[in-house]
Amino acid sequence: MLGLGAAGMAAAPYVQNGIDSFLGAAAGKDPTGVTGLLPNSSGFRYYSVAASTPKKTEQTYRLTVDGLVDRPATYTLAQLRSMPQTRLVRDVQCVTGWRVPQTPFEGVQLSHLLALAGVRPSARAIRLTCFDGTYSESLTLQQAGRKDVLAALKMQDKDVPHAHGGPVRLYVAPMYFYKSAKWLSGITVTDRVQPGYWEELGYDVDAWVGRSNGRSDTPTV
């Protein structure tokens, strides 16, 4: 019995990794969000609003910055990695209620990418699009300029996995997690806020944790 118990304990991490991999793969093909009801070992839930999401690799990933800018650009993953990186460790709060404490994210400050592009005086906001072909988000230009808003390349000190929006996802530390768009592929500077996917369905556009969506969660800053 002791031998079986020890064997079970030794196998547990591999079993959990298998479950996590299964949930991640299933979520990528589950537009219903049902897989999001099942936790993985990190405490996160998997959500996808698209029927399926293609995987991007080191060779195929691109992030475009365009719109009301003087210097539109398209970046590879290698180019993003060569830029100054910022590491943040904050709680993650989902608007559905679950919370993952002290989660490290690391990446390029969105303000750095906007500075490289040269934002025009008429700009007021940014629209963020994703390579799942469905999801979108928005931030005011002031929000996008915060030091705790990243194009994140790492999550929990590892490359952001596909199931969590890799290879690059948005991370907006002080806002509910739906603002941290997965599978980030486009940053378009605009003259007004254009509500994102969930905001079109009734979620708050300004999604400060504890001060929006009728919730009173402890802020994540």
Side-chain angles (χ1 to χ4, degrees):
M1 291 292 290
L2 289 174
L4 288 173
M9 291 179 64
Y14 299 99
V15 173
Q16 185 63 60
N17 286 341
I19 293 172
D20 291 353
S21 297
F22 167 76
L23 289 175
K29 300 178 180 178
D30 177 20
T32 68
V34 171
T35 48
L37 301 175
L38 304 174
N40 74 350
S41 58
S42 66
F44 283 89
R45 306 294 192 268
Y46 292 106
Y47 295 104
S48 175
V49 297
S52 64
T53 304
K55 288 188 176 182
K56 299 291 185 178
T57 66
E58 178 93 28
Q59 292 72 37
T60 61
Y61 178 78
R62 298 291 185 272
L63 175 61
T64 299
V65 182
D66 59 14
L68 297 176
V69 297
D70 293 328
R71 297 177 293 276
T74 299
Y75 298 106
T76 65
L77 199 53
Q79 288 172 320
L80 292 172
R81 287 172 176 160
S82 72
M83 295 179 184
Q85 304 290 302
T86 296
R87 186 175 186 269
L88 302 172
V89 182
R90 306 276 180 84
D91 290 0
V92 167
Q93 177 68 53
C94 181
V95 74
T96 61
W98 55 265
R99 190 180 186 106
V100 182
Q102 296 297 285
T103 303
F105 281 87
E106 185 175 335
V108 182
Q109 289 181 350
L110 211 55
S111 59
H112 180 72
L113 294 171
L114 294 174
L116 291 175
V119 175
R120 294 176 182 170
S122 58
R124 297 291 181 272
I126 61 170
R127 178 173 173 79
L128 302 131
T129 50
C130 309
F131 63 78
D132 68 350
T134 302
Y135 202 77
S136 63
E137 254 309 332
S138 67
L139 292 170
T140 66
L141 203 57
Q142 183 177 16
Q143 292 165 354
R146 291 176 58 107
K147 294 181 179 180
D148 52 6
V149 178
L150 308 177
L153 285 72
K154 289 183 178 291
M155 173 181 172
Q156 298 176 315
D157 296 318
K158 300 177 181 178
D159 291 343
V160 180
H162 174 74
H164 282 300
V168 180
R169 70 172 297 157
L170 189 68
Y171 177 55
V172 185
M175 292 188 176
Y176 284 104
F177 208 38
Y178 66 86
K179 298 296 287 191
S180 297
K182 296 190 289 187
W183 305 301
L184 183 64
S185 61
I187 300 168
T188 300
V189 180
T190 62
D191 61 358
R192 65 189 186 283
V193 170
Q194 300 177 34
Y197 180 90
W198 284 115
E199 292 136 21
E200 291 282 7
L201 297 175
Y203 283 36
D204 284 356
V205 174
D206 293 321
W208 306 108
V209 174
R211 293 189 284 125
S212 64
N213 294 287
R215 298 187 60 87
S216 56
D217 305 287
T218 301
T220 52
V221 295

